[in-house]
Amino acid sequence: MQNERKDRFFLKLLMWFTFLSTLGVGGGIFFLLFAVVPIEQTYTDRGWSQFKIDNVMKYFVLGWVVFGFIASFLYYFLVLKKNRWVASWLLVIGSVFLCISGMYYFLNTGNGIVQASQGEIVEGDRFTFGPYPEKEDLVRLHEQGYDGVITLLNPTLPIEKPLLDKEKASVEEINLELISIPMLPWVGDNSKSIQRVKQLIQQDDKKYYVHCYLGRHRVDVIKQVINEELGEDTYALNFMQPTTLERGELFNFPDQAIMIGPFPTDEEWFTRIKRGGVKEVVSLLPDSPSNKWQSKAKQVTKEMGIDFTAMPISQNPTLEEVRTVVNYVESAEHKVYVHAFQNNTVSMMAEALVDWDATLVGDVSPTVQCGSAEWVGRKYLIGCSPSEEERTTLRAIGVEQFIDLDGMTLGQQYEQLKRVKQERHPSYIITSRHEQEQVKQVAVGLLYGSMTRGQEWETLTLAGATPIRHERNLLLGPMLLPEEYESFALAKGVAQIIVLYSPSTTSEETLTKAFAEAERRGISIRSIPLVNNYEEDLIPLIESENGLNYIMTEKELLPLVNTYIKKF
Amino acid sequence: MERNRLKKRIIVFLLLLLLLILSPRVYWSLKEPISLEIAVIDYTVPTKDYREHNGLFQVLTSKKIVREDGELYDVGKDYYGFDPYDKVQTEPFENHQVDMIYITDTYGVYSDDLEEKPDGERSELLFGGMNLLDWNGLMQSKDEQTTLIAEFNSFASPTSEDVSKIMQQTLGLTWSGWIGRYFPNLANDEIPQWLIDNYEQQAQQEWSFEGPGMAYVHTTDQVIILNEDEIKGLVNFTLTEQGKHKFSSVHSSEYMYWFDIVEPLDGTEVLASYEVELEDRGAEKLRAAGIPTQFPAVLFRENDLTYYFAGDYADFDKQPIVTWESIHHVYKFFAKDVSSFYWLSYFPMMEDILNEAINRKRGVSHAE
């Protein structure tokens, strides 16, 4: 009798334990899929932080555990203890069945129940994110050229270990690389796993499929890490096209996606040309095998995956020859870099044609009655007043108008030259001999900034500070004193003043004064606050103006602002 | 019959008692949320406890202050700084009109912080330090109705000197370069390794301090340690006369965490100050180093609506239940050690400052 009671006790204990464990596992799986995942998604859609979600989900998990214990105790006290054997067996068998079906659905991820809870597949260039891949998915990944799979499943979780083992066996058959970076959802610290992912991103450029079980939470964490590490969008935005290369000046026309310049150095091919997004290089150099520069250009462009087109042109070209090149590059649907060896007549004619659709023609400065006229690119000639016969000759080389600045004040000269620039007509600028240098400086400044790598600014001091030259047409310096709007901005042909100001230190009064001084003299002026993403406004503003850009800021902030500008 | 009546009475009584107990919770749930747009800056979030700004969020939840979309402020999301889950910077602050800007910490996250057991050594900076662009963005968002609050460490390393000077100017103070802290035990793990290393290098002797004491550190890495024989007690936080006028329910308390030593500029009021009671030897040590024993704790500029807390006030690592109306009054009685400052001084002070901001906002709305 006593033995029988003992046996019954052990049987009841076994049945209770079986009920508890199978309800916990089986019920837990369905609770996860039908309750936890949708609830978490609701909170995510509401914009809750992961911290808040984790704190709340803990209670759900705890609730399930408590429920499990309460259910099992009720089972024991209300059913088992009262010897309701039919009900006891039905409940325990039902619970076991629940567990088996839960495990079956969990381990066969292709079924509808699991798929309904899975995240979407998100494809990227190097990384694709999604749920657990079955064998046929792995085969497809291999066929699509993926190099490997990054699995975030955790072998310490009993329900994930069989899936991980299955995956390992599959990838061995298919010959895919499997990288295991275990992570835990909701709980635990995944720092080490995140660090491993970051290392992986940097070490090669292979293509991977990244997954956890459902392709949601853990995958989302890694997705964000990868996007942050690759940072492609940020990289593309923070680059300002330079305008000075080793062998000469570079002229950038962002609207037409054309750049014209000299033969780049080895470093410049990558840092200026490739990085500038150039898809085709048009070389104006003689195209013969003995020309080592041409051969080099072909080799470098091939290595960088850039198209190469040879359009050799004579040193003293006709208008038609240069126009042929310009027509070709203007018809391209991608960014083109046109180069000679250094800046020469050809490149300056091309620059004028691209910018103004008109150019002056010739290599040698024409001589007029009182001396040689001076080129400013192939857009202006500056000299003394030509005779009627000389005007005819000048018209034949492309001069469309004669602008007389003789006797004008500096401010008037600036205004006239600015107007001529806006009208875009190649012009002959008439000035007296003693003012020719001054007029030329204004004209060069307005059109190009400098054609002598900033030599004209070397001895410049503004507001007690030395301005910093960044490019052919970019100077950074302090806020101008009132008299310097005339002695510097007008005299050097500043095309555009950009006030880069610090909202926390620059007063409204300072800004207002600067605008008043500039506008009074007809100088374009803009202001940009020095806040995050200020480069989104600054870079397009600078790149849209080939003439001299003067960025001014508070003297105390010059070193700091210089550091920021140099980043681009 | 009698028994039934008694049973009913007991049930009613229990229900009433339950209602009474739950009434603060019910009251909190039913009370109207208050919308206030607050930008919280916290660059020092290496772990998921968010402790550097957690203290502020407890106050916000207690007062049921919500975002413009009506949701309670989320300690894991509603700040600008570093995300401890993804180990990356959060979305940067973008210029927009706010009612309050609170800079809780800019010290940042270092590579060693992400180790399971950080050893307190100074390691590589991953993210941190206020830069001019961020500061300008914040200042651009501040108008005459916006309250700006900053606390230690907002402008010390790794913030550059240039930006630090600009921030100090805006907050109406100058920083002496000294920071300090009371330690209950100079021999335990809480002492940062860099402090020990600096001391040993300077003093050319091993760190062998025990018992309670104070540590002072300068930007030049100069270290002064006061042991238990050189101090009389803790660092006392007390309101000044102006402070008492402004904060009606803030109590004095003992402050037990990091502070910095600052001086107010003209136009800056001192609303609370610290006092360090020392033995003669300790006082002499500080005098020789030019360190005062009484110095500002809370500074305020009325014209600019800026507050500076010369301590790590929002740094709070607990998750108390605050969704019960006025429960913080209960916590006051049981608060001890580090928590006592939080419940006695910081919490009521922040309540008053927030009330001020709310009234200002309502005043503006009415005017419109």
Side-chain angles (χ1 to χ4, degrees), chain B residues 350-367:
Chain B
M350 273 314 298
E351 279 195 308
D352 286 342
I353 294 174
L354 286 164
N355 285 340
E356 217 179 64
I358 292 162
N359 291 337
R360 198 174 300 118
K361 183 172 183 174
R362 284 179 179 158
V364 170
S365 303
H366 285 146

Side-chain angles (χ1 to χ4, degrees), chain A residues 535-564:
Chain A
E535 66 273 14
E536 285 179 28
D537 293 325
L538 180 66
I539 291 175
L541 204 55
I542 293 170
E543 290 191 338
S544 66
E545 178 53 72
N546 261 311
L548 181 57
N549 292 286
Y550 181 67
I551 298 177
M552 63 185 193
T553 190
E554 289 166 74
K555 208 192 300 185
E556 299 73 35
L557 295 179
L558 267 174
L560 211 55
V561 172
N562 190 40
T563 310
Y564 286 128

Side-chain angles (χ1 to χ4, degrees), chain B residues 20-34 58-65 321-331 343 347 351 355:
Chain B
L20 189 67
I21 292 169
L22 290 176
S23 61
R25 182 64 177 93
V26 172
Y27 181 87
W28 185 92
S29 301
L30 294 176
K31 79 175 181 183
E32 195 70 26
I34 306 167
Q58 298 298 334
V59 184
L60 297 179
T61 303
S62 168
K63 287 186 69 64
K64 214 169 180 183
I65 289 176
I321 296 171
V322 289
T323 51
W324 287 53
E325 186 66 19
S326 303
I327 193 152
H328 55 282
H329 293 300
V330 174
Y331 290 140
W343 294 113
F347 197 103
E351 279 195 308
N355 285 340

